[in-house]
Amino acid sequence: MFVFALQDGLTVVLAATGLVVAGFVWWVRRSRTGALAVLSLCVACVVTSEVARAAAESSRGASPLGLGVVFWLFLAVVTVTAWAATRERPRRRLLTVVAGQVTLVLASLLSYLSVTVMPVAGLVVAMAIVVVASRLRYAPHLVTPEDAATSQGPAILARGTERTRAALTTALDEEWLVRSGVDLPGGATVEHLVVGPAGVFVVESRTWPGRVGLVSVERDGETVEAYGLDGDVRELAARLEPVLRTVTAAADLPWLAEVDVYAVVALWGTAVPEQPVDLELRDPRRPGRGVAVRLVSGEQVGESMRARPRTLNDRELSRVRGRVETQAPVGRSGS
């Protein structure tokens, strides 16, 4: 089918243009979902052009070019509308775009029944799908912060915690203090509280599947780059919210009030950029106050902390270290 469709010069131009645009979106805009949406649109246009041609030839009085252009126009309208209406969730946006395009492709296959009714019916159904998907964007997030922290199972979490502890103790020298399983008021627990020349750190372990990387998102009418998990910025933010709460609780401890507390997330089994990813999380309950968070592969967590610039002099380090050693309440699993 594609070979016959590509005999049409206009379709060849469309396919070539689509590949160029998809490549630009992928490599320059760093939007995987955008590139996939463009490729899906090109495939849908090629299929509908061939199907529309055959349907028009079998129907008297119908123009193959006219019917093909109608489907192309409807595909463009559905794609743009779905992209704009569901922009808050990249993966849902892509699924909505593809669903609308598939609906119109199916309508083109049924255009043998009626070359006037089926295109319009396909457009109506496709737009209905877009409307439903756009209203679902305000539904509660499927992954709650609590689920993000515990959905991997106790065994996997324990293994990641022990691997992180081993990586820390192996890479850090005697200037650094590593306390594991520090209990906080309210029932929370810090996996690893680390004190060293570079400051005080709350180190948490995570074994998320997927890839952490840059993605283009729209904010206040502008396109900006932000980090997301598999292209989903909100997914990454939801999974980091428990870390934000833990660091905030640790920073409120009286014996850590004089120093800044940073967060480090050791990622196991997750593809991350070669260099550590530095983010700033904002607590909506405390406007104007952010928490610096670094995402780093578990194998490099110790080396990454040791490479940080020194922020505590010898006197400050000795004082903070002494307070942590004497006042940090360690749970059963800590040491």
Side-chain angles (χ1 to χ4, degrees):
M1 177 179 292
F2 290 101
V3 175
F4 289 115
L6 290 175
Q7 292 178 354
D8 186 347
L10 186 59
T11 307
V12 173
V13 173
L14 172 69
T17 303
L19 291 176
V20 172
V21 173
F24 173 82
V25 173
W26 187 294
W27 293 105
V28 179
R29 304 303 301 174
R30 297 182 180 179
S31 176
R32 181 174 57 182
T33 55
L36 292 175
V38 173
L39 290 175
S40 176
L41 176 62
C42 291
V43 172
C45 287
V46 170
V47 173
T48 55
S49 66
E50 175 61 18
V51 174
R53 179 190 307 174
E57 291 176 351
S58 64
S59 177
R60 297 180 179 179
S63 169
L65 178 61
L67 185 58
V69 170
V70 167
F71 274 109
W72 284 16
L73 177 62
F74 287 177
L75 283 167
V77 170
V78 169
T79 300
V80 173
T81 304
W83 192 262
T86 56
R87 62 185 181 183
E88 296 177 354
R89 297 291 305 278
R91 282 185 289 184
R92 178 180 294 172
R93 177 167 56 182
L94 178 61
L95 291 175
T96 305
V97 169
V98 173
Q101 294 170 350
V102 169
T103 301
L104 285 172
V105 170
L106 294 176
S108 70
L109 294 173
L110 297 175
S111 59
Y112 290 96
L113 301 177
S114 175
V115 295
T116 56
V117 175
M118 296 313 302
V120 177
L123 177 64
V124 172
V125 175
M127 293 302 293
I129 294 174
V130 173
V131 171
V132 172
S134 65
R135 292 189 176 183
L136 289 177
R137 62 180 172 172
Y138 299 108
H141 201 280
L142 294 178
V143 180
T144 64
E146 291 76 9
D147 293 337
T150 61
S151 61
Q152 304 161 71
I156 296 179
L157 287 173
R159 185 168 65 249
T161 299
E162 290 303 319
R163 294 177 68 185
T164 299
R165 181 179 178 181
L168 291 171
T169 55
T170 300
L172 302 178
D173 55 27
E174 62 276 2
E175 282 191 297
W176 294 80
L177 171 66
V178 179
R179 296 294 293 269
S180 301
V182 178
D183 293 332
L184 299 176
T189 301
V190 176
E191 284 188 19
H192 310 287
L193 185 63
V194 182
V195 181
V200 180
F201 302 89
V202 169
V203 182
E204 298 284 314
S205 306
R206 294 293 185 269
T207 55
W208 304 326
R211 179 180 181 274
V212 175
L214 281 173
V215 61
S216 297
V217 297
E218 295 183 12
R219 179 178 300 172
D220 298 330
E222 297 182 358
T223 301
V224 298
E225 290 186 339
Y227 283 97
L229 181 62
D230 275 348
D232 195 332
V233 175
R234 296 182 64 186
E235 180 78 11
L236 180 60
R239 290 178 180 265
L240 288 176
E241 189 171 339
V243 179
L244 173 63
R245 293 204 304 265
T246 301
V247 176
T248 302
D252 288 339
L253 294 171
W255 36 275
L256 291 179
E258 298 179 0
V259 295
D260 293 327
V261 180
Y262 307 97
V264 176
V265 178
L267 298 174
W268 297 95
T270 302
V272 296
E274 294 182 0
Q275 299 298 325
V277 174
D278 291 312
L279 307 172
E280 182 176 282
L281 300 181
R282 299 187 181 276
D283 190 347
R285 298 164 296 182
R286 304 183 181 191
R289 181 176 178 178
V291 174
V293 180
R294 170 167 288 190
L295 307 182
V296 62
S297 65
E299 293 85 355
Q300 301 175 353
V301 61
E303 291 82 354
S304 173
M305 297 178 65
R306 191 176 57 186
R308 283 174 174 261
R310 189 183 187 100
T311 60
L312 300 177
N313 56 41
D314 292 339
R315 183 178 179 180
E316 293 171 333
L317 177 58
S318 177
R319 182 173 66 251
V320 174
R321 178 169 179 156
R323 290 178 177 176
V324 172
E325 287 178 327
T326 58
Q327 302 185 48
V330 179
R332 294 181 180 180
S333 61
S335 62

